[in-house]
Amino acid sequence: MSETEIEQAESYPLLKVVREIPMPSSISPVAQAVLGYLAANPMSSTPPALDDIAGWEAMQQKSDAMLMEMVFAGQDPAAFPSRLLGGVTVYDVEPDDLDAGSPLICLYIHGGGLTCGGGPLTPLMGRLGAKDTGLRTVSVDYRMPPHHPYPAPLDDCVAAYRGLLKTTAPENIVVAGASAGSNLAAALVLRGRDEGLPLPRGLVLLTPEIDLTESGDSFETNMGIDAMLTQRLTSANLLYANGHDLADPYLSPLFGDFSKGWPPTFLQAGTRDLFLSNAVRFHRALRTLGLPAELHVFEGMPHGGFGGISPEDEELSLEVRRFVASL
């Protein structure tokens, strides 16, 4: 294309598509059943106004109750005692098939849209990280909005990492997170590096919420197709940011400077994931600098996977474990 044609392209009309999207026949029957259930039982709801503290508290309680019912039914959060690490509450959890001889430890940052999934759910969320990585796992119960917006959550994650470094060599630490946890996991590595802390051995970012500006293409192309995230998280992002620039790298790690050092990174998303562009763009940002990074995109998968019960979810866990073993 000529420069003139490129300039003219800016004035081309928006692409308008109206069509029905069938259930993908290319995924497992279990995955199809999960997609069908999510389509019939949408989980998203209208967020409160930013200054409606009681409304955000109610949404947090509702979301946590839903997680407990749908993901952690039958599990007892009280079975996992808490302790302080760097002044932050954490929980120690292990996978059922732990390799007791491995020196590696996973520092896990839970997801939940930056507003839920913490408190008593923290160890249960951490068990998901332990299952994926196969490692002894320290799950961080970081503070959250509406009472503790940025930078409090990131402060807690960095403090926990500092605390872990006092007993564990950085080459034995893998930092991992899912969704909003991926945001904080990447941000803690970025800020920790900037503050002179050593890099961890590796970084695992699943379906990452690492661009709070929501500027990627999949925020348009997968809107209404992702059965888990049926709307943008703009309100929660603004609540979390607390007036700070959403494009700040500590808020949106996608825009960070990785040339100063970065650990090997595992990235995952799905073809129906609203955050697909986040993973794709982060992968390209790292690979452009020649940094080691893997991108795994799963067929038909929405944000967060297929509930952890499908063959695709098991395949993802195996890939994460392979990555960790390769570090």
Side-chain angles (χ1 to χ4, degrees), residues 215-238:
S215 57
D217 183 54
S218 63
F219 284 94
E220 302 295 342
T221 58
N222 279 348
M223 179 60 65
I225 295 176
D226 189 330
M228 177 61 71
L229 286 182
T230 59
Q231 60 187 359
R232 292 172 178 263
L233 299 183
T234 307
S235 292
N237 295 346
L238 291 172

Side-chain angles (χ1 to χ4, degrees), residues 48-69:
L50 292 181
D51 60 355
D52 182 3
I53 302 301
W56 284 102
E57 291 174 337
M59 176 174 281
Q60 187 177 69
Q61 293 170 5
K62 179 181 178 181
S63 297
D64 284 352
M66 191 177 300
L67 278 171
M68 194 68 214
E69 177 183 354

